[in-house]
Amino acid sequence: MTEAILLVGGRGTRLRPLTVHTPKPMVPAAGVPFLTHQLARARAAGVDHIVLATSYLAEVFEPHFGDGSALGLHLEYVTEEEPLGTGGAIRNAASYLHSGPEDPVLVFNGDILTGLDIRRLVATHETTGADVSLHLTQVTDPRAYGLVPTDGTGRVLAFLEKPQTPEEIVTDQINAGAYVFRRSVIDTIPAGRPVSVERETFPDLLVAGAHLQGMVDSTYWLDLGTPAAFVRGSADLVLGRAPSPAVPGRCGDRLVLPTARVAGDAKLTGGTVVGEGAFVGEGARVSGSTVLAGAVVEPGAVITDSLIGVRARIGERSVLTGTVVGDGAIIGADNELRTGVRVWCDAQIPTGALRFSSDQ
């Protein structure tokens, strides 16, 4: 297998304001755009040609990655003028593939951080003679996902929408967002209109008698669709819990990029990242968080499980927990922001304006 399609066209609405100026796959995780980790893992598995299916802020990708040669890849880009869904995006990218009708083509969703054994998924596809093979993972609570029951050989039996009652939970296996398609199957997806592989392509293939194979791989897996998940994924990459050859440094409690400045008595823990040109002041404590390029954390601030956007500023003694601060926003001194707060790009919060506890 030498080819893949990477679906990177989503608008990332659940991640806003992180995605106001930046497409979701380009938001930095562990010091580099998240997409870099996916490309590096695909390359390590033997993939050398990847088609990026872009849509939202499509103009951002090629200036950063170019032809892919710096990563040992051949990258091509195809842009959807109108969003086409997962299946439509795969079909739209098909003309850029070089594979023959029986060859395997790997397809990735662009917002999944995973330790999937890619070579094993391809080997499963080839040894079973499947038309499509799916990476499945097991989750403790599958109610938020579509279920994928399989028989004793791993052959997919059905695709079940999100279960509403305990009786509907017939398996803990869910679609984990990575597939291997027989090239000829991609050509059967309708062209020029939105198509969902999850809701249309896969169920229709089952009805037609196609062989869909599931492979359960329950190594690290995380959907980075929410700010809290994205922050956690970045920290897990730094800590070494999630595997990636693209982390720009040794795994550990912290990752400080070369031009960042951190005061000697500041404390960085839990997989914290401090980006290029950022500054963390005296006595600040930052845990499990990402401080993006050019951002400033002033002395005495305490930041936990949060993401601080490009050129944002956090004032002295402010306390942020589970918070996302958009690019260019300014949080004045002595504020307290708790889990779920999203501060929009370029917003300004005056000194001592927001608190969840007494000012004493």
Side-chain angles (χ1 to χ4, degrees), residues 104-329:
V105 177
L106 184 69
V107 177
F108 282 124
N109 279 339
D111 54 2
I112 301 296
L113 177 59
T114 176
L116 167 68
D117 185 338
I118 297 170
R119 291 182 186 273
R120 179 174 161 236
L121 180 62
V122 176
T124 297
H125 177 80
E126 293 179 332
T127 57
T128 60
D131 296 298
V132 182
S133 297
L134 298 86
H135 171 208
L136 307 180
T137 193
Q138 295 168 304
V139 295
T140 303
D141 184 359
R143 289 176 296 177
Y145 305 96
L147 308 185
V148 187
T150 55
D151 67 14
T153 68
R155 188 160 182 156
V156 174
L157 300 174
F159 291 89
L160 307 176
E161 285 301 307
K162 298 173 183 178
Q164 303 300 311
T165 66
E167 293 75 23
E168 293 178 301
I169 302 176
V170 298
T171 181
D172 61 356
Q173 297 175 175
I174 66 166
N175 179 354
Y179 320 111
V180 180
F181 278 78
R182 190 191 304 272
R183 171 70 176 84
S184 58
V185 174
I186 293 176
D187 293 332
T188 68
I189 299 173
R193 69 168 176 85
V195 180
S196 165
V197 290
E198 300 87 354
R199 296 180 179 85
E200 181 177 346
T201 304
F202 293 156
D204 286 356
L205 284 169
L206 276 186
V207 170
H211 179 178
L212 276 66
Q213 184 72 23
M215 188 198 80
V216 176
D217 183 321
S218 292
T219 52
Y220 186 98
W221 183 87
L222 186 64
D223 178 349
L224 301 185
T226 66
F230 200 96
V231 170
R232 177 184 156 200
S234 177
D236 284 348
L237 283 162
V238 174
L239 291 166
R241 295 172 180 166
S244 170
V247 176
R250 296 176 60 185
C251 291
D253 246 8
R254 55 190 272 175
L255 173 64
V256 179
L257 295 191
T259 59
R261 294 179 298 132
V262 178
D265 64 348
K267 188 174 183 180
L268 309 179
T269 59
T272 286
V273 181
V274 182
E276 297 278 358
F279 172 72
V280 179
E282 295 80 1
R285 289 180 288 147
V286 188
S287 176
S289 299
T290 295
V291 180
L292 292 183
V296 174
V297 177
E298 294 185 355
V302 179
I303 300 173
T304 305
D305 298 336
S306 297
L307 192 146
I308 312 304
V310 175
R311 296 183 305 280
R313 178 177 289 268
I314 309 302
E316 293 182 319
R317 299 173 301 280
S318 281
V319 178
L320 281 65
T321 302
T323 298
V324 175
V325 178
D327 296 345

Side-chain angles (χ1 to χ4, degrees), residues 53-72:
T54 70
S55 180
Y56 176 64
L57 297 177
E59 67 277 6
V60 171
F61 295 93
E62 189 166 4
H64 184 89
F65 292 107
D67 64 3
S69 56
L71 293 171

